[in-house]
Amino acid sequence: MTEYTPMKNLPAAPGYKKGDLFVLFGELFGRGYANGIVDEARRAGMTVVGATVGRRDNGGELRPLTPQELAEAEANLGGKIINVPLEAGFDLEPADDGISPVERLKGIKPDDWETVRFGEEILQQSRRRGIERLRTNMEQFIAELTPLIPAEGSLLFAHTMAGGIPRARFFMPLLNRIFKGTGDKFLPSEPFWNSDLGRLCQLNFNEVTGNTFGGLLESTAAIRAGVEARGGAVRYVAYGYHGCGVLLGGEYVWQSYTPYVQGEAKMLLEDIAVEATRNGISAAVYNCPEIQTNSSALFLGVELSLYPFLAALEREGGGPVAEQARRDCAALLKEGGSLELMLARADDYLASPLMAGFMDFAAWPQHNVKEQMAFMLERSQELMAMSADQKRVVCAELSRLVFQGVGRLMFDDSWAPQGPVLWLNHDIIARRLLS
Ligand SMILES: NC(=O)c1ccc[n+]([C@@H]2O[C@H](COP(=O)([O-])OP(=O)(O)OC[C@H]3O[C@@H](n4cnc5c(N)ncnc54)[C@H](O)[C@@H]3O)[C@@H](O)[C@H]2O)c1
């Protein structure tokens, strides 16, 4: 069990310099967390190299990006992308009988989910194939990365991979019931998680969200040895999630989105960083706040704890950056709306007795219950509706500020990490942005 270790001190400026290599291990999406650290690497003059998960056309063979897709992705990243598909997971990998987990679900109605049985051995066969596929592709990736390593200076790898929801149509109605269902539509996460379907998700999440980090550390051992032998250093950072401290009743209080079914995979990621650090590798996981990205879009309500970030900016000293953030957010509100009301409603949600039982760090990740989900979804909608244009909502603006602050903190801290697992709570992010 990881100890709760929030970052307390702003890290010093790092020693990265022009020509050092920054490798983004995962794809970059418009509003994704990684934008923050990529900006920092560019600003420091580092050479930026990226990766791709590849593509599958209609669930078919995994392939690299087409020349057009590659050109677009490279323009977005502002650097070369090594075009080897690094998709992790095994939901589309056949077991020894030639059938993949996703294919096994064909013809089954989502309502009959409780009757689905895979059997552990079948899942493990597919899993082993998925691991083998990624290992082979990683070898290719490393072979193409090696010539790009500068003759002097250091390397920074940023791991951003997370996901692994099996890509069967079957899953969407079920997941919608778990994450967005109210009344009769609500499906509790616990029985689902304890079913064979939950087991498939768990194993797949572990591969995508956790073991890709271990694989990266392992595959780059020779690169590390080479760089260290000539006096350079190789460092690794990864994005974690394990709840977040936000301002509530004048204090920074740990809370979490529930049900965070990826929680165990994220704890595996933490364990990998702890073990690597013990072995003398510079590897740190930074547990980040809830923000709105492509990946978090399914989890309606995850953004509720983001609103108090505005209050954190005031609490940590205010000033021009905080004032600008308030102005930018206020400009997005419907006529007659106010940030004060928005913050009061978010506060009322977080402080409600219904949420108290979910603020238990030791019990994380917890399953959901009907009343909590109904309350969260209703409050999420109420606060979203306060923005005038649903394509430009206040929490998107706050998400951007948070990923910028997180990017700076991770980039700076990576030079000499304050620990293998650190929580970047609203206070330290606000302080970073204000200083
Ligand atoms: N959004 C949040 O609220 C939040 C909070 C804390 C931590 N994080 C973490 O930040 C990181 C980036 O996520 P994001 O929210 O910015 O979303 P994102 O969608 O921008 O990024 C998700 C990343 O996962 C990769 N990925 C997805 N499926 C994959 C697969 N099968 N194999 C390999 N890679 C795969 C994508 O290429 C991409 O790089 C993740 O580790 C995420 O868990 C997000």
Side-chain angles (χ1 to χ4, degrees):
M1 180 67 200
T2 325
E3 234 182 288
Y4 180 47
T5 44
M7 185 189 279
K8 296 269 184 240
N9 303 312
L10 287 178
Y16 298 111
K17 55 179 181 8
K18 193 168 163 40
D20 285 354
L21 187 64
F22 172 84
V23 182
L24 183 66
F25 196 63
E27 272 187 41
L28 185 66
F29 298 126
R31 52 188 185 160
Y33 249 121
N35 285 284
I37 199 162
V38 169
D39 283 349
E40 296 305 316
R42 259 194 229 120
R43 215 189 322 269
M46 293 175 84
T47 306
V48 174
V49 168
T52 175
V53 294
R55 299 289 178 269
R56 290 184 190 259
D57 300 317
N58 305 317
E61 283 294 294
L62 182 62
R63 62 161 177 83
L65 302 177
T66 62
Q68 191 188 340
E69 287 165 345
L70 182 63
E72 282 167 15
E74 290 189 330
N76 181 36
L77 178 71
K80 177 185 167 60
I81 286 179
I82 298 178
N83 194 10
V84 178
L86 294 185
E87 180 190 294
F90 61 90
D91 54 331
L92 299 174
E93 282 302 321
D96 294 354
D97 61 3
I99 307 173
S100 73
V102 159
E103 282 164 341
R104 281 175 214 282
L105 295 170
K106 278 200 182 126
I108 305 177
K109 292 200 191 81
D111 283 350
D112 296 334
W113 65 271
E114 278 164 300
T115 65
V116 173
R117 297 279 179 279
F118 296 115
E120 185 72 11
E121 179 47 27
I122 283 284
L123 288 181
Q124 293 296 343
Q125 286 170 8
S126 289
R127 176 172 168 262
R128 284 194 285 273
R129 278 221 180 124
I131 292 173
E132 210 34 58
R133 184 200 66 232
L134 182 59
R135 186 175 299 141
T136 309
N137 289 348
M138 272 305 282
E139 277 170 17
Q140 177 72 30
F141 178 84
I142 298 296
E144 294 190 28
L145 177 65
T146 304
L148 305 177
I149 293 169
E152 52 181 49
S154 52
L155 262 70
L156 173 61
F157 285 92
H159 174 280
T160 174
M161 293 178 176
I165 292 178
R167 285 156 290 180
R169 270 213 196 117
F170 172 91
F171 269 94
M172 249 12 239
L174 286 174
L175 296 178
N176 278 332
R177 286 181 60 196
I178 294 172
F179 297 115
K180 299 180 188 170
T182 53
D184 291 347
K185 293 241 171 68
F186 171 69
L187 178 65
S189 53
E190 188 164 15
F192 174 82
W193 202 242
N194 292 332
S195 72
D196 275 27
L197 292 167
R199 179 72 183 151
L200 167 62
C201 290
Q202 177 67 74
L203 289 173
N204 212 38
F205 292 171
N206 282 354
E207 289 313 318
V208 178
T209 302
N211 288 333
T212 46
F213 193 44
L216 171 67
L217 298 174
E218 253 174 63
S219 320
T220 48
I223 291 181
R224 223 164 33 240
V227 171
E228 282 166 7
R230 57 152 174 76
V234 180
R235 300 173 172 90
Y236 304 84
V237 295
Y239 291 83
Y241 179 70
H242 195 146
C244 176
V246 308
L247 199 53
L248 181 58
E251 308 253 349
Y252 288 96
V253 177
W254 180 92
Q255 55 73 55
S256 169
Y257 169 80
T258 300
Y260 189 66
V261 289
Q262 295 230 354
E264 286 182 36
K266 282 296 190 195
M267 287 194 279
L268 172 63
L269 181 74
E270 293 173 355
D271 290 346
I272 291 169
V274 169
E275 177 66 19
T277 303
R278 211 175 277 140
N279 293 331
I281 301 172
S282 176
V285 167
Y286 297 87
N287 288 327
C288 305
E290 302 82 357
I291 63 166
Q292 272 196 321
T293 66
N294 290 0
S295 290
S296 64
L298 176 66
F299 312 113
L300 271 188
V302 72
E303 77 294 342
L304 279 164
S305 56
L306 182 56
Y307 295 102
F309 184 66
L310 264 180
L313 285 171
E314 296 301 325
R315 164 74 178 265
E316 297 308 318
V321 173
E323 280 159 28
Q324 187 61 48
R326 274 189 85 83
R327 269 198 302 276
D328 291 345
C329 289
L332 299 173
L333 293 175
K334 274 183 184 157
E335 226 179 289
S338 79
L339 292 176
E340 281 65 33
L341 177 62
M342 191 174 239
L343 285 172
R345 296 298 283 161
D347 224 52
D348 171 77
Y349 163 80
L350 290 163
S352 90
L354 193 52
M355 299 311 294
F358 294 93
M359 296 194 177
D360 181 355
F361 181 78
W364 190 87
Q366 291 197 58
H367 285 292
N368 59 4
V369 297
K370 198 174 195 171
E371 297 71 29
Q372 164 250 341
M373 284 306 279
F375 183 42
M376 178 174 75
L377 294 169
E378 194 190 284
R379 194 55 62 95
S380 169
Q381 270 179 4
E382 178 190 324
L383 269 76
M384 286 284 184
M386 290 184 182
S387 294
D389 177 354
Q390 289 307 296
K391 293 207 180 73
R392 291 181 60 226
V393 288
V394 168
C395 51
E397 180 59 27
L398 294 174
S399 297
R400 197 180 54 76
L401 281 170
V402 167
F403 76 55
Q404 284 172 349
V406 161
R408 275 186 71 187
L409 287 169
M410 282 174 64
F411 187 73
D412 292 355
D413 194 65
S414 70
W415 189 257
Q418 294 174 47
V421 182
L422 293 154
W423 272 255
L424 302 181
N425 290 335
H426 281 190
D427 53 347
I428 195 88
I429 300 171
R431 279 168 60 199
R432 177 73 289 164
L433 289 173
L434 297 172
S435 63

